[in-house]
Amino acid sequence: MEIDLKRLNSFLGNAAKNTYAGGADKVDPQTSNFQELEYEDGDWYYRDSYAGFFRSWGREVIWFKGAPIWNQLYGGGMEDNFSKDADFARQTFSFLKKAMSVGEKENNFQPRGPENFKDGDWEYLSNLEGNISNFKGSEKILYKGKVVFTHKFFGGLIKDK
């Protein structure tokens, strides 16, 4: 099956803005003790599945016409010296959602947030290598110049027989 990469990217951008970054309601998880979000548009279906709070690991999968075609794995979380303050972690995740919704995700491949985003005392930085077909990267959030959160991510196209 040949996948239109521009359409895939557009769908991914819309899915990201309409799930975690958009504050969507969680759906019944397919995996127990995980949080899950989904988005659908015609033949396209997206599911984000993750577990954890201070440290989390998850995956995003996109299906087209019922077949999985794209995947992203991610993980990390709050730095150790910030991993006991739930209120500060919630503020950090709120800023992460804001950063992940910035940019023209529907037009330019941006699997997480933009390369750089600032808002008051908060700063988001992302380092991305590759493209929608095969990529890896990392992201971090700084508060008043100190790194408080880090994640690594990687993924790309799924090709079946």
Side-chain angles (χ1 to χ4, degrees):
M1 171 183 341
E2 192 67 30
I3 300 299
D4 178 343
L5 297 181
K6 285 186 177 184
R7 178 67 179 106
L8 170 61
N9 187 75
S10 176
F11 176 77
L12 175 61
N14 283 316
K17 287 184 175 181
N18 285 287
T19 55
Y20 184 78
D25 291 332
K26 293 173 179 67
V27 298
D28 289 334
Q30 294 175 344
T31 306
S32 62
N33 298 316
F34 273 68
Q35 306 292 316
E36 297 190 356
L37 303 159
E38 66 182 358
Y39 178 77
E40 196 167 354
D41 182 5
D43 290 331
W44 298 83
Y45 176 76
Y46 164 95
R47 184 171 281 259
D48 183 5
S49 179
Y50 61 95
F53 181 75
F54 291 111
R55 308 268 325 147
S56 65
W57 296 91
R59 74 175 186 171
E60 296 169 79
V61 179
I62 293 177
W63 287 262
F64 180 67
K65 295 185 176 180
I69 59 163
W70 185 88
N71 187 69
Q72 173 175 226
L73 303 171
Y74 60 87
M78 300 299 293
E79 292 294 296
D80 288 342
N81 51 333
F82 296 99
S83 66
K84 291 186 170 74
D85 186 341
D87 288 334
F88 184 72
R90 278 192 272 287
Q91 291 175 46
T92 303
F93 303 151
S94 179
F95 175 72
L96 175 62
K97 289 177 182 182
K98 194 181 281 189
M100 289 178 67
S101 66
V102 171
E104 296 185 26
K105 295 175 79 93
E106 301 88 345
N107 298 317
N108 301 312
F109 179 58
Q110 182 182 306
R112 301 289 293 170
E115 191 174 314
N116 185 277
F117 174 69
K118 292 182 181 182
D119 185 20
D121 291 329
W122 296 91
E123 183 174 13
Y124 174 91
L125 301 168
S126 178
N127 177 20
L128 173 65
E129 296 176 34
N131 57 44
I132 198 165
S133 298
N134 185 18
F135 65 93
K136 65 180 178 178
S138 62
E139 64 186 348
K140 60 184 169 182
I141 294 176
L142 291 79
Y143 179 72
K144 295 184 178 179
K146 287 187 169 187
V147 175
V148 298
F149 172 92
T150 60
H151 253 173
K152 293 189 182 208
F153 55 88
F154 65 97
L157 292 176
I158 297 169
K159 294 186 179 181
D160 203 1
K161 298 176 191 173

